Amino acid sequence: MRFITLLLIAGAYVLVSGCAAQPAQKRALTDAEHVQVAKTLAAMNVCGNSGKVAPDLIAVGNLSMQQMFSWAIYDRARLSQDVDSYIPQVDDQDCTILANFLATVRLKKETQQRQAAVNSMQESQAAPLYQYSTPKRTICNNIAGQILCSTY
């Protein structure tokens, strides 16, 4: 709980807000963000490999990290070294906190997806329905004194 609690309180925006609202241009991670990302990756590594956090939650964390890496400028070698240095510090309590946090991230993403689907459905229902009921072509034929018309 030592460093994961600090991560969740001080730097949750890196995983949630930072990923949801990607900057228009890439920017460098601050030192604090770099440390938070390294600690989170270390916890995901240890907790995922030990089975203490469900694979679907680790996948949510990986997706969030990939989104963050798409807009962040960072030193890969330094990040890798820092992750390796934080791995021995991860304990069971950190895994529990990480699992709860990733479940919250997943719930937020699912809620956003549902809202987007509802908005899309409302927009499609607002489209005029008469365009489907308006005939496009009508053909009439006189067969044996009887007029038959077909609309296509």
Side-chain angles (χ1 to χ4, degrees), residues 46-118:
V46 170
C47 301
N49 289 338
S50 66
K52 294 176 183 169
V53 175
D56 61 323
L57 292 179
I58 295 297
V60 168
N62 285 335
L63 179 61
S64 294
M65 286 294 179
Q66 287 174 0
Q67 289 172 338
M68 188 267 314
F69 288 142
S70 72
W71 61 258
I73 299 170
Y74 61 97
D75 181 352
R76 289 179 189 241
R78 177 181 166 214
L79 185 62
S80 180
Q81 277 182 325
D82 288 349
V83 168
D84 290 342
S85 71
Y86 291 125
I87 283 177
Q89 300 175 28
V90 178
D91 60 19
D92 290 347
Q93 194 171 16
D94 294 328
C95 291
T96 301
I97 293 168
L98 179 68
N100 290 336
F101 179 69
L102 292 177
T104 302
V105 170
R106 178 177 60 187
L107 182 62
K108 181 178 179 180
K109 287 181 185 240
E110 288 172 352
T111 301
Q112 289 170 343
Q113 289 172 345
R114 278 192 222 113
Q115 188 59 45
V118 167

